[in-house]
Amino acid sequence: MTISQLRTAGAGGDETEAARRFGDGIYELLKLVTAIVNNSLLLEKAGGTADNDAVGQVLFDMCLCRATDLSLTYISSVLRLVYLKQPNALRSSEKVDVNFIFQFTSMDQLLLALLERKVRALSFQSLNDLDADFSKRLGMPLFDNDSHRARAVQLVALRNLIVHNQGIVDEHFMRQYPDAPGLGTRIQVGDSENNEALLFLVDWIADLDVRMIEKFSLPTRPRIPRPKITILAQ
């Protein structure tokens, strides 16, 4: 089993704190995967055996789910930054219960509570709905083109299928993606598809972070290089 070298955040440019946490999560994920791969290679060199197909599928499931979750967490985190920077973006026609308001002793506390409630509500939306909400409320879409949106939506759907149905194609997934393997078939993805998915998510969040910084003048920090991750030669 081989895993292509994946890019990690390096020196150059600035990023938000939300992007830094996203990068840290991806980096830790890659370190774990690399350790598993290297241990498998060492076992093989010592004359042992490893079920590489089974290990590879588990690794893909773990990578896809975790990387997708990190991407969605970034969106929630950067939304908090936007609302803290521009509280007026929270304005809407939504009614707020008086009892909710009276829980707080200051406007700052109330604002933070409204912020968290709004971010939590948005986090339960589908990615398509969330993209539409971004465009309407913030004047900026999550994606720079339709093909990127479709790919991200597909990865979220696959993540949900893995988490909720062990990656086995069900009727809901078939309706979304008629070209998927047959109903009841477990989706199998190889190393190249796995790497492509991770790279897509990293590139998407990196691009989104730059656009969010430019549009909302979000606070940033220098991007710090991370040590190179090395995979043993086979």
Side-chain angles (χ1 to χ4, degrees):
M1 176 176 60
T2 61
I3 294 182
S4 300
Q5 184 65 44
L6 291 169
R7 295 194 301 275
T8 56
D14 294 334
E15 61 185 352
T16 64
E17 182 67 19
R20 183 196 64 80
R21 290 197 297 268
F22 169 80
D24 286 346
I26 292 292
Y27 184 73
E28 292 302 318
L29 175 62
L30 294 178
K31 285 203 302 184
L32 175 61
V33 171
T34 301
I36 294 172
V37 171
N38 286 342
N39 286 338
S40 177
L41 293 173
L42 289 172
L43 178 61
E44 291 178 358
K45 289 181 178 180
T49 59
D51 189 347
N52 286 341
D53 291 338
V55 171
Q57 189 59 54
V58 171
L59 284 176
F60 170 75
D61 289 354
M62 178 184 67
C63 286
L64 177 69
C65 292
R66 181 59 178 157
T68 303
D69 287 344
L70 287 168
S71 302
L72 298 176
T73 299
Y74 165 84
I75 295 175
S76 296
S77 298
V78 83
L79 264 176
R80 290 186 181 91
L81 293 177
V82 171
Y83 287 144
L84 285 171
K85 182 80 174 180
Q86 300 186 16
N88 286 339
L90 283 169
R91 288 183 175 178
S92 71
S93 59
E94 179 184 354
K95 294 182 179 179
V96 179
D97 188 86
V98 173
N99 291 328
F100 176 83
I101 295 175
F102 284 160
Q103 296 178 62
F104 308 99
T105 58
S106 70
M107 286 299 297
D108 287 343
Q109 290 180 353
L110 175 60
L111 178 61
L112 288 174
L114 290 172
L115 182 157
E116 288 300 327
R117 190 168 81 163
K118 183 61 180 177
V119 170
R120 192 178 304 112
L122 290 173
S123 70
F124 287 105
Q125 290 185 339
S126 71
L127 201 52
N128 277 323
D129 290 341
L130 189 56
D131 182 44
D133 199 275
F134 255 67
S135 297
K136 179 181 178 181
R137 292 179 179 275
L138 304 180
M140 190 190 75
L142 287 174
F143 308 94
D144 57 7
N145 62 62
D146 290 340
S147 64
H148 287 173
R149 180 188 302 105
R151 180 57 175 149
V153 169
Q154 182 184 40
L155 289 176
V156 171
L158 184 53
R159 176 263 180 206
N160 292 339
L161 190 70
I162 292 170
V163 170
H164 300 296
N165 205 41
Q166 298 182 314
I168 299 171
V169 177
D170 56 17
E171 293 182 357
H172 177 70
F173 193 84
M174 282 296 297
R175 285 195 298 271
Q176 288 180 292
Y177 302 101
D179 294 334
L183 192 66
T185 302
R186 183 174 183 182
I187 290 183
Q188 303 284 335
V189 180
D191 290 339
S192 61
E193 293 86 357
N194 180 13
N195 291 344
E196 183 277 329
L198 292 181
L199 287 172
F200 169 81
L201 291 172
V202 169
D203 289 342
W204 167 38
I205 296 303
D207 171 75
L208 179 58
D209 197 58
V210 170
R211 291 191 288 123
M212 295 294 286
I213 291 169
E214 290 177 348
K215 183 171 181 63
F216 299 104
S217 300
L218 299 180
T220 62
R221 49 172 289 169
R223 189 175 299 129
I224 301 173
R226 299 180 176 92
K228 182 179 180 181
I229 301 173
T230 303
I231 298 176
L232 298 176
Q234 287 184 302

